[in-house]
Amino acid sequence: MAYVINDDCISCGSCEGECPVEAISMGDEHYMINADLCTDCGTCADACPVEAIHAE
């Protein structure tokens, strides 16, 4: 089960630098998590200032 970023994302980039497997990248409208790379560590969710990241 991968983490996902919802539309509350403000594209601040806080999560991208925290991901240990580089599964997060900028999408068309906000950051996105590659489910195939995500290891479900939750580090990104802890780093998000607007709580836009949650377990799928």
Side-chain angles (χ1 to χ4, degrees):
M1 176 170 65
Y3 276 72
V4 294
I5 301 175
N6 65 32
D7 290 338
D8 293 337
C9 176
I10 59 172
S11 300
C12 68
S14 296
C15 59
E16 184 179 28
E18 294 297 318
C19 182
V21 294
E22 300 179 357
I24 302 174
S25 61
M26 187 64 189
D28 291 337
E29 297 180 21
H30 56 73
Y31 280 87
M32 300 177 66
I33 300 174
N34 181 329
D36 293 332
L37 297 176
C38 181
T39 60
D40 303 320
C41 70
T43 304
C44 57
D46 293 338
C48 182
V50 295
E51 299 179 0
I53 304 173
H54 55 87
E56 186 172 48

